[in-house]
Amino acid sequence: MSMRPMDTLLKTRMSPSLAIYTLVALTPEKHEVIVVNENIEKIDYELDVDLVAITVTVDVFPRAIQIASKFRNRGIPTIAGGIHISSQPQEAMKYFSSICVGMAERIWKKVLSDVEAGSLQKCYCDMDNIRGDEIVSPAYDKIDKSKYFYTNIISTSRGCPFKCDFCYNSSNNSPDYIKRPIENVLNEIKSLRSRHIMFIDDNFIGDIAWTKEFCKRINTLGLKWNCAVSVNILNHLDLLDMMKDAGCQSLFIGIESINANSIKSVHKVQNNIKNYDKLIKEIHDRNMMVNASIVFGLDDDDSSVFDTTLEWMIRRKVETVTAHILTPYPGTKLYKKMCDENKIFDFDLSHYNTANVVYYPNKMSPKELYDGYINFYKKFYSFKNIIKRIPTSKSQWMTYFLFNFVYRKFGKITEAFSYVIPLNLIGKIISILCYKNN
């Protein structure tokens, strides 16, 4: 993972990759599987293996090429998959023995069979009419829990019904939006044996009817959970009530910008800034916290956007913010638009982690954008502004202070403790504190 300036090693050890453990679950028992997470452990390039599979996001693409090269020099075939590979398959095929485009569920056993036969194909792709019941549960039982803060993470869907220009869901090979059978998700919840669950879908409310039924099914389980939703949750306040009653504690929401013209520039059709105040009030009225996603550097943003956004967030007591610099992921509509306009000046994909400026913004310099972004983070998580944003509801205080102080403000100190106290134990303590307080 490419670290951002505000990140600590806690970020890299937060949770395991479900992609990797989905492959583990798909692999027949006759094969031996060795899992390596380079955020935590070093790669042994002398391993005696028959195939190296690498899951790839855009900012680690250059690193994935280096890893593949070292194994291919030993005559070991490599295959790469993941969202970046699927969005730019022609480019990816240059560096790996094979690639997987789309979901692995339909093709992984075929890949292994071809490796056994010595006939590995250059590209595997089967994306037509994929059903939710084809999505397999990750091999949770194979995860070394001592390495991570949380392993109680679940995905109830793949993809998103919206196709915002800067998102991978706007690329040609983006997956269709599909929901998993509710029973399958319930079985995963039971297998985790935890009452604190993190749903990591792109959009938890992409299918309103599904989410309502799901909330009904988990209402009596005594869960505490969080998820990501789109702004149109405001159109479904009855669902928001059901989510609150079922134990939802916080919502990650793609607000992106408080500038209407900037929102229009990336075709985020579900967002209407006139509704933002009501949206935040409705969430807070239900004792739920807001984690707002913000993007700086959109077409209509000038250097005033940072202080304006900061003031807006503080006044509304937004509990946490995840801020980004606009980044043109290859394969997206935004990338094509910026290439056509000759705006991109940095094509080093290791910089594409939403914390670097790789293009020329419309209304400010690259330096103004970067400096404004860094200063926004510092100011938002300053002592003064953490105090100003304290939630009105006391039931949220424990979670609020843990995130703002333990994780963000004093993350380096918490990171130091993680070398003495097992990560999963710290995660359990945090979960217990948050659960009891709510």
Side-chain angles (χ1 to χ4, degrees), residues 135 143 146 166 213 275 292 294 312 347 349 367 377 410:
I135 299 175
I143 298 173
S146 67
F166 54 71
E213 181 60 27
N275 296 331
I294 294 294
W312 190 92
F347 290 90
L349 295 186
K367 186 176 187 306
Y377 252 112
F410 298 116

Side-chain angles (χ1 to χ4, degrees), residues 15 19 33 52 99 105 116 120 130 141 148 156 190 204 218 237 248 273 276 279 308 315 336 417 429:
S15 61
V33 181
V52 174
I99 63 168
E105 273 83 350
E116 283 187 284
L120 184 66
I130 292 177
D141 59 318
Y148 303 100
T156 73
K190 293 173 185 176
F204 189 73
I218 65 172
L237 294 180
C248 184
I273 67 168
Y276 283 0
L279 171 66
T308 302
R315 196 182 318 131
K336 184 179 185 306
F417 274 109
I429 293 170

Side-chain angles (χ1 to χ4, degrees), residues 76-286:
I76 299 173
T78 61
I79 183 167
I83 196 167
H84 176 68
I85 302 298
S86 294
S87 69
Q88 286 234 299
Q90 295 301 320
E91 176 68 15
M93 278 194 283
K94 299 175 186 176
Y95 305 104
F96 306 94
S97 309
S98 179
I99 63 168
C100 167
V101 177
M103 289 168 44
E105 273 83 350
R106 285 186 177 177
I107 64 174
W108 185 241
K109 289 182 181 179
K110 169 65 174 169
V111 170
L112 297 179
S113 177
D114 287 352
V115 171
E116 283 187 284
S119 57
L120 184 66
Q121 299 174 27
K122 193 64 182 173
C123 180
Y124 292 85
C125 179
D126 186 350
M127 301 178 65
D128 295 332
N129 303 312
I130 292 177
R131 306 182 314 274
D133 61 3
E134 293 182 79
I135 299 175
V136 304
S137 294
Y140 289 106
D141 59 318
K142 304 294 185 183
I143 298 173
D144 184 348
K145 295 182 179 180
S146 67
K147 296 179 178 179
Y148 303 100
F149 272 104
Y150 300 111
T151 55
N152 47 335
I153 52 175
I154 290 178
S155 175
T156 73
S157 65
R158 298 275 174 88
C160 178
F162 300 110
K163 307 293 182 183
C164 309
D165 288 6
F166 54 71
C167 180
Y168 268 122
N169 286 302
S170 72
S171 66
N172 290 333
N173 289 327
S174 65
D176 293 331
Y177 179 68
I178 52 175
K179 297 295 295 188
R180 300 176 59 197
I182 288 177
E183 205 62 42
N184 291 9
V185 180
L186 291 176
N187 288 336
E188 282 188 9
I189 291 174
K190 293 173 185 176
S191 73
L192 291 177
R193 298 180 179 178
S194 173
R195 292 202 291 174
H196 187 199
I197 304 294
M198 299 183 181
F199 294 109
I200 58 170
D201 305 75
D202 287 347
N203 190 346
F204 189 73
I205 63 163
D207 181 333
I208 298 295
W210 187 99
T211 310
K212 285 183 176 181
E213 181 60 27
F214 182 70
C215 287
K216 289 179 184 176
R217 297 288 297 275
I218 65 172
N219 190 274
T220 60
L221 298 182
L223 300 177
K224 297 298 181 183
W225 51 278
N226 53 279
C227 64
V229 299
S230 43
V231 169
N232 61 306
I233 185 71
L234 185 62
N235 301 330
H236 306 280
L237 294 180
D238 58 334
L239 173 56
L240 197 59
D241 286 332
M242 295 174 72
M243 292 169 67
K244 184 255 184 183
D245 292 341
C248 184
Q249 292 180 298
S250 66
L251 298 175
F252 180 91
I253 305 180
I255 288 175
E256 317 306 10
S257 176
I258 59 173
N259 182 326
N261 289 331
S262 289
I263 290 290
K264 288 178 183 177
S265 71
V266 289
H267 299 99
K268 199 169 181 74
V269 296
Q270 66 272 33
N271 283 36
N272 183 341
I273 67 168
K274 294 179 181 177
N275 296 331
Y276 283 0
D277 279 348
K278 180 173 173 55
L279 171 66
I280 292 174
K281 182 179 186 303
E282 293 288 354
I283 295 170
H284 283 166
D285 284 349
R286 290 162 175 80

Side-chain angles (χ1 to χ4, degrees), residues 317-355:
K317 290 182 175 285
V318 171
E319 285 83 358
T320 69
V321 162
T322 303
H324 313 270
I325 293 174
L326 183 66
T327 302
Y329 298 145
T332 61
K333 290 181 179 178
L334 177 66
Y335 184 81
K336 184 179 185 306
K337 176 177 178 286
M338 285 192 175
C339 284
D340 291 344
E341 296 172 352
N342 292 317
K343 279 189 171 182
I344 302 175
F345 62 81
D346 184 351
F347 290 90
D348 181 349
L349 295 186
S350 67
H351 297 160
Y352 282 52
N353 65 346
T354 75

